[in-house]
Amino acid sequence: MDFGIGFLTNNIMLPILDFFYGIVPSYGLAIVALTLVIRFALYPLNAGSIRNMRRMKVAQPLMQKRVKEIQERYKDNPTKLQEEMSGVYKEFGNPLAGCFPVLLQMPILFALFATLRGSPFADINYDVNVQVFPQEKIEQIQPQVFSTAPKAIYVSDGSHFPISAVVPGGNKLVVGEKTDIRLQTAEGQSISSLAAEYNEDPSSFQPKWEVIKGDNVVAIDEAGNITALAPGDATVRAQAPGLAANKGFLFIKALGRIGVTGDDGAIHWDILIMILGFGASLYLNQVLSGQGSAASDNSQQAAVNKFTPIIFSGMFLFFPLPAGVLMYMLIANIFQTVQTFFLSREPLPENLQKIVDAEAKAEDNRQTLPFEPGRSKKKKA
């Protein structure tokens, strides 16, 4: 189950992508435009989450104290306890309120992520599991068409179709039997005929087939014809090429490039720059939102927040993503950092602003020791 991800991809993401590619024929610019459109559309939800996080950071110490007092005072009166707790949430806000906007936008963000990992930005694989039985069991096998789930495949710039890998004779064979894997639409139109109709150079769009498991069980040729060799299990992969996988954008050499280092050990500086940029923007976003504050009451949480940008950036070294996806994540993070910057300058509700002012006044009145930073400034003030 994709929880609607496929529906969002096919009916929202790809049409937007096609629209911008039609205006400026650059898949790199189309990714930038698609990312910004989705981020602007989700701005109200994301803003609500950021505002709630900011308010909770101010209110949480006093709120926790108030909740503890209420729980102790009305522990034997559930009705009064619930009433007083509702009053606290009404005054300071609900800590869980910031989670709801995040949950609402997750399917859309997952769909955007899935779109940029699919065609035309990457080669698309269809894995077909094949079982081969001895000749004497031929009567026990009932031929049944096997088909994978469809995926949107670009056969040319701006032209994509839902393509499935279909085995007409089924994926259960006997030794010596032959069948083929066809990449085709639900109507039976093959991917090769679509490429011949829509692609100016059909020869540049040629699917590939290979046995990735059980090469002693089955064999497959360049046309996708399978021959059963011996009893056992095998996995055959059909691959549709990604049209934009090798196309560059700005400093990015190829939108489909994966990993900081290549097979020859050379460093992919474009990938590395985007990973470092992602970590830097994540850190800056934490600073603006107050999550990375060293003055946090919870020292363990503060330490986790400091290392979060390093951990998330380091993940891309061990779980590499295509360059196009990294570009989307970097742009989205920069967008959110700018959003956080502006939202952090919004006035707080009056009751929360009083708490901030009281803390600032207490800090100013606190007598500092000679070696403390800021002592000379306070004296001058």
Side-chain angles (χ1 to χ4, degrees):
M1 294 179 65
D2 64 1
F3 300 98
I5 301 301
F7 176 84
L8 293 173
T9 296
N10 295 327
N11 295 278
I12 295 179
M13 305 302 168
L14 292 182
I16 295 176
L17 191 69
D18 292 340
F19 173 77
F20 285 107
Y21 185 84
I23 296 175
V24 181
S26 167
Y27 281 112
L29 286 176
I31 291 176
V32 174
L34 176 62
T35 303
L36 293 179
V37 166
I38 298 302
R39 281 292 168 175
F40 274 115
L42 296 177
Y43 185 94
L45 289 174
N46 205 30
S49 180
I50 294 173
R51 289 189 181 104
N52 187 74
M53 185 187 302
R54 182 182 174 218
R55 291 170 183 174
M56 285 300 103
K57 178 175 174 57
V58 174
Q60 192 171 23
L62 181 59
M63 189 176 178
Q64 289 178 339
K65 181 180 179 182
R66 185 83 61 83
V67 168
K68 187 176 180 180
E69 292 175 352
I70 292 173
Q71 288 174 337
E72 291 179 355
R73 183 177 303 176
Y74 301 107
K75 59 183 178 180
D76 298 325
N77 190 344
T79 304
K80 186 64 176 176
L81 175 63
Q82 185 176 1
E83 181 182 334
E84 291 294 325
M85 290 293 289
S86 299
V88 172
Y89 291 143
K90 185 176 181 181
E91 180 181 357
F92 296 107
N94 192 328
L96 299 179
C99 300
F100 186 63
V102 174
L103 293 176
L104 283 179
Q105 60 181 304
M106 290 307 288
I108 298 177
L109 296 180
F110 282 145
L112 178 57
F113 184 85
T115 300
L116 298 180
R117 291 198 67 181
S119 181
F121 305 106
D123 296 338
I124 304 302
N125 297 324
Y126 298 86
D127 290 346
V128 177
N129 295 321
V130 179
Q131 291 180 289
V132 179
F133 299 89
Q135 275 282 353
E136 55 268 21
K137 292 189 177 182
I138 188 170
E139 295 181 357
Q140 301 177 16
I141 300 175
Q142 297 180 354
Q144 186 175 2
V145 177
F146 174 85
S147 178
T148 65
K151 300 179 183 180
I153 304 296
Y154 278 77
V155 297
S156 67
D157 294 334
S159 300
H160 53 85
F161 302 88
I163 302 293
S164 300
V166 178
V167 185
N171 61 338
K172 295 182 179 181
L173 311 174
V174 295
V175 175
E177 188 177 359
K178 296 183 178 181
T179 187
D180 62 328
I181 298 180
R182 304 173 185 177
L183 296 181
Q184 63 183 41
T185 64
E187 295 75 23
Q189 192 169 9
S190 70
I191 196 171
S192 300
S193 64
L194 290 170
E197 181 178 352
Y198 292 93
N199 198 315
E200 295 180 357
D201 183 15
S203 61
S204 64
F205 189 85
Q206 293 296 326
K208 298 178 182 179
W209 288 267
E210 64 173 328
V211 179
I212 61 174
K213 174 189 172 184
D215 53 2
N216 61 324
V217 176
V218 298
I220 191 167
D221 61 20
E222 295 181 355
N225 298 310
I226 300 175
T227 301
L229 303 176
D233 296 328
T235 300
V236 178
R237 173 170 292 172
Q239 185 181 83
L243 294 176
N246 296 317
K247 293 185 179 180
F249 176 69
L250 298 179
F251 65 93
I252 301 173
K253 300 298 183 182
L255 294 172
R257 171 182 278 181
I258 299 176
V260 175
T261 56
D263 296 335
D264 57 354
I267 297 177
H268 295 158
W269 292 103
D270 49 352
I271 301 289
L272 183 60
I273 289 172
M274 286 191 287
I275 291 176
L276 294 176
F278 176 83
S281 61
L282 187 61
Y283 174 76
L284 182 58
N285 188 52
Q286 284 189 341
V287 171
L288 292 173
S289 63
Q291 294 180 42
S293 174
S296 174
D297 294 334
N298 191 330
S299 58
Q300 292 183 345
Q301 184 62 45
V304 170
N305 289 336
K306 287 181 180 179
F307 284 105
T308 296
I310 298 175
I311 294 172
F312 272 87
S313 300
M315 284 176 58
F316 298 137
L317 301 177
F318 302 100
F319 305 98
L321 295 172
V325 176
L326 285 175
M327 185 174 72
Y328 142 68
M329 297 184 70
L330 177 59
I331 294 170
N333 230 33
I334 293 174
F335 183 93
Q336 181 160 334
T337 301
V338 174
Q339 183 180 7
T340 303
F341 174 79
F342 285 107
L343 292 176
S344 65
R345 275 144 183 78
E346 285 185 350
L348 288 167
E350 185 177 352
N351 63 324
L352 298 183
Q353 188 60 50
K354 288 180 180 179
I355 297 175
V356 175
D357 294 340
E359 290 179 350
K361 185 176 180 180
E363 183 68 19
D364 290 340
N365 293 335
R366 186 175 68 87
Q367 184 176 0
T368 57
L369 297 175
F371 57 81
E372 283 188 297
R375 175 178 171 83
S376 59
K377 294 181 181 179
K378 290 185 178 181
K379 283 187 175 182
K380 291 180 182 179

